[in-house]
Amino acid sequence: MAQDLMEKIVSLCKRRGLIFQSSDIYGGLSNTWDYGPYGVELKNNVKRAWWQSNVYERNDMFGMDAAILMHPKVWEASGHVENFFDLKSDCKNCKKRFKAADLKDKLVCPECKGELTEARPFNLMFKTHQGPVADDASLIYLRPETAQGIFVNFSNLLDSRHPKLPFGMAQIGKAFRNEITPGNFTFRTREFEQMEIEYFVKPADADKYYEYWVELRHNWYLGLGLKKENLRKRPHAKDELAHYARACTDIEYNFPIGWSELEGIANRADFDLKQHAQFSGKDLQYFDDAAKERFFPFIIEPSGGVDRAVLAFLTDAYHEEKVKKDTRVVLKLHKDLAPVKAAVFPLLKNRPEIVELAKKIAADLKKSFVTTYDDTGAIGKLYRRQDEVGTLYCVTIDVQSLEDKQVTVRDRDTMLQERIGIDKLKDYLLGKLKGCS
Ligand code: ATP
């Protein structure tokens, strides 16, 4: 059933222009995905909703956008050069590669029963070279997380904006990990996007703000429509914690592959700033004016994946409904996330006055929210297409519209239809979309 759901989602994404296999015409680059016309809207809407609630609606948050390429010493300070390893085993027979942690039997290939090599460490960072000479001095990494771009800008923020604790820095951007076992559609890929916050607090306040962010981030997903029963918090056991973390909770979603991490919230203590202070030789302490003391703030880090969030929202929104004898597939995405807010159709495309009026209405709506115009099928087909990408409202212009200056507006979820005057249409839809970020 679950695998079936994943297949249906992958197929819908391709069919309707949400997500395509990368480099498809060359046979595809495995586990790499491109977002198509509707997919990029959905993904942008997820990022916009995150930025809205975490940056624009707060007084204590600063946005930023760091470069993907960073000084190689960053990754020594962060511990990634030394510790960002997975153990891998290769099958001597079928040549498949496995993450040792996933193997029940460490000696035998789970696919062909061939002999496995001994588990060997494998650094997950992508390496490249900067400049024309590919030597050790030019070695550079594609960042495996966006977080370090924030830590190295901590003192720039202090000097330019003079924030008082607690405050945070927020960033959305690409990260790269040479995962041993990517897969499950966009769940685990080697190139992905992260939405990360580093929230700096007084050490004594760290536990309080850790709990606060776990709740806030959990509720953000619920607020955007994920079903409560599909979302859970999983605190890490002590032996699961990274060496620097005091506490960590995963927000897990019930993906078609089972409960898996959507976002992690960690109390990283003062590890990161101390490391960068030591490796850079710069003073990265915070000066508390009132108490007249200098110290390293503790850091609470909510770190989520954009692609995993998109996959969770798609999975949760996917519905099949019986309508008369047919099955209606509909993405019941939250109104903030729906890629298209309204679609406009002429009922008869061989009547130029109707087509012209429909195009005029679409052009006007497009100035206020994402609207699409479509006249490439019969009305039933047009509705079906829009339902499958979660379009909120379908507006149909018919013969009668030419006389009574009214159009039919159909609601995605209830499928109820209403006649609305053309002069009131935009306000009517804006009223429905009120609060959309
Ligand atoms: P996992 O245990 O699934 O490998 P992680 O604990 O290594 O994830 P973090 O380092 O905490 O992940 O990264 C923060 C977030 O970035 C994750 O919660 C996830 O949403 C996203 N993420 C991490 N790795 C990938 C990946 N390979 N593909 C897609 N998203 C990812």
Side-chain angles (χ1 to χ4, degrees):
M1 274 291 279
Q3 199 47 39
D4 196 32
L5 175 59
M6 189 66 121
E7 276 166 24
K8 283 178 177 174
I9 290 171
V10 175
S11 139
L12 171 77
C13 284
K14 181 178 165 87
R15 188 168 74 244
R16 290 290 172 234
L18 285 146
I19 303 174
F20 305 119
Q21 172 84 62
S22 161
S23 320
D24 217 356
I25 57 167
Y26 289 98
L29 178 64
S30 59
N31 303 299
T32 313
W33 303 94
D34 297 340
Y35 289 79
Y38 293 126
V40 67
E41 297 300 333
L42 173 58
K43 195 183 192 199
N44 282 343
N45 288 345
V46 168
K47 293 192 275 185
R48 192 175 302 122
W50 185 90
W51 198 267
Q52 173 70 27
S53 71
N54 291 302
V55 182
Y56 292 149
E57 291 177 12
R58 301 182 66 102
N59 292 324
D60 59 352
M61 195 70 77
F62 299 86
M64 64 164 298
D65 182 24
I68 288 172
L69 303 178
M70 301 182 75
H71 195 292
K73 270 205 144 173
V74 167
W75 307 110
E76 288 174 35
S78 68
H80 282 83
V81 171
E82 208 177 328
N83 299 316
F84 200 48
F85 286 98
D86 270 345
L87 289 174
K88 66 159 174 75
S89 291
D90 296 307
C91 174
K92 291 182 183 168
N93 181 40
C94 71
K95 311 291 176 213
K96 283 226 167 88
R97 178 161 286 180
F98 302 94
K99 204 163 151 177
D102 295 339
L103 293 167
K104 283 201 189 86
D105 185 333
K106 307 280 181 228
L107 303 173
V108 180
C109 173
E111 305 235 331
C112 76
K113 307 290 169 215
E115 192 191 342
L116 290 174
T117 61
E118 219 174 280
R120 283 183 296 233
F122 178 77
N123 193 300
L124 301 180
M125 282 199 290
F126 275 98
K127 288 181 190 151
T128 186
H129 293 273
Q130 181 164 266
V133 186
D135 61 8
D136 282 354
S138 67
L139 179 67
I140 203 155
Y141 301 98
L142 299 187
R143 66 181 178 196
E145 60 175 30
T146 58
Q148 302 300 326
I150 295 182
F151 302 138
V152 300
N153 276 292
F154 177 71
S155 56
N156 284 336
L157 186 81
L158 289 185
D159 296 343
S160 58
R161 301 296 303 269
H162 313 288
K164 298 270 170 280
L165 292 178
F167 66 85
M169 295 168 80
Q171 174 170 224
I172 300 175
K174 291 266 186 178
F176 302 82
R177 295 182 189 176
N178 203 359
E179 299 275 4
I180 297 170
T181 49
N184 294 314
F185 196 27
T186 53
F187 179 82
R188 186 177 302 284
T189 51
R190 296 190 170 114
E191 171 180 348
F192 54 97
E193 240 176 319
Q194 290 187 311
M195 312 184 274
E196 293 199 301
I197 292 168
E198 306 302 328
Y199 196 72
F200 303 92
V201 302
K202 290 182 182 168
D205 294 339
D207 291 346
K208 178 178 84 182
Y209 282 112
Y210 167 69
E211 299 294 337
Y212 161 87
W213 278 105
V214 170
E215 281 313 303
L216 202 67
R217 294 302 306 141
H218 179 257
N219 292 342
W220 182 79
Y221 291 102
L222 293 180
L224 285 171
L226 289 191
K227 294 183 199 77
K228 216 172 177 171
E229 64 271 23
N230 285 337
L231 203 63
R232 72 180 185 195
K233 298 173 212 153
R234 192 183 67 80
H236 283 204
K238 280 269 171 283
D239 62 356
E240 239 185 303
L241 291 174
H243 58 285
Y244 51 79
R246 298 276 172 104
C248 186
T249 294
D250 284 348
I251 296 177
E252 294 188 335
Y253 180 74
N254 191 10
F255 286 97
I257 51 168
W259 287 98
S260 313
E261 177 178 337
L262 183 55
E263 170 159 350
I265 295 103
N267 174 354
R268 301 176 67 107
D270 54 7
F271 174 80
D272 307 282
L273 290 177
K274 270 191 175 157
Q275 286 292 106
H276 285 300
Q278 188 193 329
F279 278 73
S280 68
K282 298 280 180 325
D283 180 10
L284 299 182
Q285 294 185 94
Y286 171 87
F287 181 67
D288 186 333
D289 273 339
K292 301 275 177 263
E293 46 176 25
R294 301 183 82 77
F295 59 90
F296 288 103
F298 272 28
I299 293 174
I300 310 302
E301 179 191 74
S303 169
V306 178
D307 312 82
R308 281 191 196 175
V310 167
L311 185 58
F313 287 121
L314 278 172
T315 308
D316 225 66
Y318 185 91
H319 284 80
E320 287 178 6
E321 296 174 349
K322 277 263 163 276
V323 178
K324 292 184 192 143
K325 280 196 204 117
D326 288 336
T327 302
R328 174 171 96 117
V329 173
V330 53
L331 283 187
K332 294 193 174 176
L333 289 164
H334 186 278
K335 65 180 166 98
D336 286 3
L337 302 184
V340 180
K341 309 302 179 197
V344 179
F345 320 133
L347 189 63
L348 302 168
K349 74 167 181 185
N350 54 1
R351 290 282 299 268
E353 331 83 280
I354 298 180
V355 170
E356 197 187 318
L357 180 59
K359 283 187 174 163
K360 195 164 154 253
I361 290 171
D364 185 40
L365 297 182
K366 276 171 187 276
K367 291 183 189 144
S368 298
F369 40 79
V370 179
T371 302
T372 187
Y373 170 85
D374 195 359
D375 62 9
T376 59
I379 188 75
K381 201 171 180 182
L382 298 180
Y383 277 151
R384 224 165 25 248
R385 276 187 203 155
Q386 297 303 323
D387 284 345
E388 288 196 352
V389 294
T391 301
L392 295 165
Y393 298 97
C394 290
V395 178
T396 309
I397 290 79
D398 53 25
V399 182
Q400 213 186 322
S401 306
L402 299 173
E403 284 151 31
D404 66 5
K405 307 283 180 257
Q406 293 190 337
V407 294
T408 303
V409 179
R410 171 190 179 265
D411 180 291
R412 176 195 71 192
D413 297 337
T414 62
M415 289 194 289
L416 291 176
Q417 304 192 353
E418 264 187 272
R419 290 292 282 182
I420 306 287
I422 294 171
D423 56 342
K424 299 198 178 60
L425 178 66
K426 196 197 257 182
D427 283 346
Y428 171 85
L429 292 173
L430 281 172
K432 296 272 187 190
L433 299 172
K434 206 166 168 197
C436 265
S437 57

